[in-house]
Amino acid sequence: MTLVNNSFRSPKDISDIQKNLKRYDINDGTLAEQKVYDELVAKFGVERVKWTSSNNPLNSGNTTDEYDYEVRDKNITDVKYLIDCKSTTAKKYSNSNEIYWTESEWKFLEAEKPDNYLVARVFDCNSKNHEITYLHISCIDLDSEEE
């Protein structure tokens, strides 16, 4: 008995498909990170925003895996927010808005339990009409209250 996979595509077929991909079908996390950085700098000023991701084109190797930005307080002494960028090509109110977390992000949230951790969710990330929503994320232990 021989099994035949009729859905196999030759490299030429795959190349043709890739050429026909529309820009909005590609989720470019780097582009989304740049958009979030620009918005944070506009709101807080460049001196208060540190882009800690390895996607920062100006980063000199001092990166973090747990989040993408640190926003300092007005005195630039304490970290006000730790922000991680999560992007999607989907519109905000669609049924396809998965968020993917890395192992280092989960471990950081569980171990450190920061109360200033935000997710910058970039919807329609490849569009000029993208939308950024900030979500407060925290990992808590539920207390069981006995009555």
Side-chain angles (χ1 to χ4, degrees), residues 46-76:
V46 70
E47 66 283 347
R48 292 179 58 193
V49 179
K50 181 179 179 185
W51 188 356
T52 61
S53 164
S54 60
N55 288 330
N56 178 353
L58 302 177
N59 203 322
S60 59
N62 188 12
T63 63
T64 63
D65 292 329
E66 296 84 7
Y67 50 87
D68 298 317
Y69 315 91
E70 292 177 358
V71 177
R72 299 278 175 172
D73 62 7
K74 289 181 181 180
N75 298 326
I76 310 177

Side-chain angles (χ1 to χ4, degrees), residues 20-139:
N20 292 325
L21 279 177
K22 296 178 182 173
R23 176 70 180 136
Y24 60 81
D25 290 333
I26 301 169
N27 182 354
D28 187 348
T30 304
L31 177 61
E33 282 190 27
Q34 181 67 55
K35 290 178 178 187
V36 171
Y37 178 75
D38 292 344
E39 182 171 286
L40 293 172
V41 166
K43 182 165 186 76
F44 297 105
V46 70
E47 66 283 347
R48 292 179 58 193
V49 179
K50 181 179 179 185
W51 188 356
T52 61
S53 164
S54 60
N55 288 330
N56 178 353
L58 302 177
N59 203 322
S60 59
N62 188 12
T63 63
T64 63
D65 292 329
E66 296 84 7
Y67 50 87
D68 298 317
Y69 315 91
E70 292 177 358
V71 177
R72 299 278 175 172
D73 62 7
K74 289 181 181 180
N75 298 326
I76 310 177
T77 54
D78 296 318
V79 176
K80 183 173 183 169
Y81 301 116
L82 301 172
I83 302 175
D84 191 45
C85 180
K86 299 291 184 188
S87 60
T88 181
T89 57
K91 302 283 185 195
K92 186 173 186 177
Y93 299 108
S94 72
N95 290 325
S96 178
N97 279 319
E98 299 87 3
I99 295 180
Y100 298 96
W101 300 88
T102 65
E103 180 181 353
S104 61
E105 291 164 348
W106 272 120
K107 286 182 176 180
F108 177 74
L109 286 170
E110 288 179 333
E112 301 298 324
K113 294 186 177 29
D115 60 359
N116 60 346
Y117 194 90
L118 306 177
V119 168
R121 183 62 162 158
V122 184
F123 296 96
D124 200 11
C125 67
N126 295 327
S127 167
K128 291 181 180 178
N129 299 319
H130 66 278
E131 183 176 350
I132 302 172
T133 300
Y134 294 90
L135 306 168
H136 182 243
I137 303 293
S138 61
C139 185

